[in-house]
Amino acid sequence: MEFFKLCSRKESTEEILGKNSVEEEGKENTDITQALSKLTEPTSVPIPKLSVSNMVHSARKRIRRHRRLDQSPLNNDVLNSILLYLFPDAALDKSDTSEAKATQSNPGGKHNQDKDTEDYNLFNLLKSAPSDSLTYRLALCICLVNFYHGGVRAVAHLWQEFVLEMRYRWENNCLIYGLAAGSPDLRCCLLHQKLQMLNCCIEHKKARDESRKEGGRDKKETTSCENGLLGPDSGRAGGSGGSPGKSWDSWSDSEDEFYECLSDTEEMKEAPAEGAKGAKSKPDGRLQPHGKLTLLNSDEPLYIPITQEPAPMTEDLLEEQSEVLAKLGTSAEGAHLRARMQSACLLSDMESFKAANPGCTLEDFVRWYSPRDYVEEEVTDETGQTVVRGNLSARMQIPGNMWVEAWETAKATPARRQKRLFDDTKEAERVLHYLAVQKAADLTRHLLPCALHAAVLKVKEEESVEDIPSVRKAIQQVTSHASKLLRHPNPDYKKLEETINQLMVVETIIARARSLKAKFGLGKGEKGDKGVDPDDLEKFVGSLLEEPEVAVIGAGRGPAGSIIHKLFVSAQRLADSSDEGFLMDVEAALLAPLEDDPGRVGGSDDRKPMGGGSGVPDFPPPAGREILLRTCVPRPAPYSKALPQRLFCVLMREEFRLAGAFSSDTSFF
């Protein structure tokens, strides 16, 4: 509930932690009239140091310097332990890459068979995150620091450190621990999707850097071969492959961050030369042959090209894209533009296919990309032999088909030379900015499904030990209700508060069950009294939890009644005793046996009357006395029929109440 209250906070992270470094620097540069002069004046800072990494590093220094002046909400020991819990891979030896990879592949230490259980897949119902993920652990840590280590200021401090860690991992190509590989899982909460998107960006950036290194090694080997290491024949063959400075390796080793295509002028220069030679372009970007398929216009095998992966998207990006497409309208021009926007991946695959299969046709591409749109039929040729011929499907032959238009505009360009469909640098900076601007209330709303997920799992675990049917049913109702609320884009937080209160009631019932079992001697490792059936006591305790009123079999002399009497006597001891040593062991006094008490005569069966003697009474003074009189009396005449009469009286210290129910025979009166 304390974590839920953060949803109403409106302060930003900087406002919670105090004045930020930007405001402090603004005091020094309040005059903006000379802004252009300050931008163009000479500076002593070298140009290479003006990078995003150095700027973030300097910002981190200013933040830490500011925190030294104003004491941080979280001390270093607590903060380091939390960060180590969130990122255990940071403690691994960087040289041991095998252990790091194994940790990344199994972040939560769970086996594959555990992921098929209902509890593990609970995140799908609550739209939270898997119980072994970074987002789930972050929610637990945020709840912990909010309750025990400084409230909202500690939450803001931890979140700021978390964002800095995300920035560090992006800049240093370190994968984020506790996130599954692949595109964002739309079944999870938006924050988990954002972290997965950042992890995808890191994977793409890391793969691109590794390919550049491999391309650099290949370039060095090619240079050494051209210098005469493989003989004159090989050097002559390598020199006739194309114009110098435009080799494929030079493109893969480019320092430019984007995959730029060749300019139109260069293509125009190379096209006449290729046409003069009458030779097909050199195939590039081949992955593997496609079984036994061959090109329709030649006997060359059909190769599967290396293609770009579709750009991963989170649910908010998908919503933005759908809104943009919807705004285009239903006109012919809008529909055409919408189709072009949606065919970016198709155009990229066509260009890769053309580069891998020179001389191919649209029919060849359709046979690989969409086999259902290529219809094969057995026909009889002129010689009378049965042959198999294929044609495009009816929808592919519609005039103005988008596939035909895209095929005509596609150029033979391998995937590594195409413009990237997924700009990991842009998307990573967008995610980091999204994380940095989150307020404490926004963070709470993002992590609330994970906190509810953790609460439900904990309650389920405790209920499995106590085995309370009503609690089991209540957990199912809470889970179903929370699932309906959390799947809404803008959930009703008042109803969510009711769900949290229901979970608190369930926790209270479990705590009562444990307390009753301990007091009635049903705990683990405890042995009951001789002659007492533990099954009867378990049924009695279960009835106390499930029913409003329970009959005590045997009254005060039965097994349950005697235990209740002991509890009352022990409570009276605590209320009357002034011994400090006795008061320090409350639980021992509550569960102490009475048969061996030297201050009592005869044991539990020989009980003293209320207030009798100088000892402590067994029971506390009553809050009131109830007197109930029942009888059957003939009224109004002695020869009338005897009918039931009832008189009820309650006597309290400051008041009394009488309630009567009288009946009379009205047959002859």
Side-chain angles (χ1 to χ4, degrees), residues 437-451:
V437 299
Q438 293 298 303
K439 299 180 180 180
D442 300 329
L443 179 62
T444 304
R445 295 188 187 101
H446 283 306
L447 295 178
L448 186 59
C450 297

Side-chain angles (χ1 to χ4, degrees), residues 48-322:
K49 291 186 178 180
L50 295 177
S51 62
V52 177
S53 302
N54 290 323
M55 292 172 64
V56 174
H57 181 68
S58 61
R60 188 181 292 115
K61 280 186 175 180
R62 289 194 294 271
I63 291 173
R64 290 174 179 171
R65 191 186 308 120
H66 177 67
R67 285 181 183 162
R68 292 191 190 101
L69 300 177
D70 187 9
Q71 186 179 3
S72 300
L74 292 175
N75 59 60
N76 291 333
D77 294 336
V78 175
L79 180 61
N80 291 335
S81 61
I82 292 176
L83 292 178
L84 189 61
Y85 171 72
L86 293 175
F87 307 101
D89 57 333
L92 298 177
D93 187 3
K94 298 301 181 183
S95 60
D96 190 4
T97 58
S98 61
E99 184 178 357
K101 290 181 179 179
T103 308
Q104 284 288 346
S105 61
N106 190 15
K110 292 183 177 292
H111 301 287
N112 292 331
Q113 58 267 25
D114 294 338
K115 295 185 178 182
D116 296 332
T117 60
E118 180 181 357
D119 290 346
Y120 183 84
N121 293 322
L122 186 61
F123 75 93
N124 189 14
L125 294 175
L126 300 178
K127 198 173 177 58
S128 59
S131 56
D132 57 352
S133 65
L134 172 63
T135 313
Y136 184 89
R137 295 197 303 274
L138 176 64
L140 297 181
C141 293
I142 292 293
C143 293
L144 178 69
V145 299
N146 178 59
F147 194 79
Y148 292 104
H149 298 288
V152 66
R153 296 189 72 244
V155 170
H157 185 186
L158 177 58
W159 177 244
Q160 198 171 55
E161 293 292 338
F162 183 85
V163 175
L164 291 177
E165 179 67 21
M166 294 296 101
R167 168 72 67 176
Y168 173 83
R169 288 178 177 262
W170 159 247
E171 294 176 353
N172 295 273
N173 291 348
C174 298
L175 293 176
I176 303 175
Y177 177 87
L179 296 178
S183 301
D185 190 352
L186 300 181
R187 300 175 300 172
C188 301
C189 61
L190 182 58
L191 181 60
H192 187 77
Q193 297 178 36
K194 291 292 184 180
L195 296 178
Q196 284 185 312
M197 174 67 81
L198 183 59
N199 211 29
C200 290
C201 297
I202 297 174
E203 289 178 357
H204 282 74
K205 181 183 176 184
K206 191 174 182 180
R208 187 172 68 253
D209 293 345
E210 291 177 355
S211 64
R212 286 177 178 175
K213 292 179 182 179
E214 293 177 358
R217 297 192 196 100
D218 296 341
K219 185 176 180 181
K220 291 179 181 178
E221 294 176 359
T222 305
T223 304
S224 61
C225 293
E226 291 178 353
N227 289 334
L229 296 179
L230 296 179
D233 297 337
S234 61
R236 183 169 58 253
S240 62
S243 59
K246 296 172 184 172
S247 64
W248 300 107
D249 295 333
S250 64
W251 287 99
S252 62
D253 194 39
S254 173
E255 293 298 328
D256 193 358
E257 199 161 16
F258 296 90
Y259 293 107
E260 299 292 348
C261 300
L262 287 172
S263 62
D264 296 338
T265 56
E266 293 173 347
E267 293 175 356
M268 292 175 63
K269 291 179 181 178
E270 293 181 0
E274 294 176 357
K277 294 179 182 178
K280 296 180 180 180
S281 60
K282 182 180 178 180
D284 194 7
R286 288 178 169 179
L287 180 62
Q288 61 185 13
H290 188 283
K292 298 180 180 180
L293 290 181
T294 59
L295 299 180
L296 296 176
N297 296 338
S298 64
D299 295 334
E300 292 289 333
L302 190 148
Y303 283 88
I304 298 176
I306 299 174
T307 59
Q308 296 191 60
E309 295 182 1
M313 303 186 73
T314 56
E315 62 182 21
D316 60 334
L317 295 179
L318 289 172
E319 185 177 357
E320 291 178 5
Q321 187 183 41
S322 62

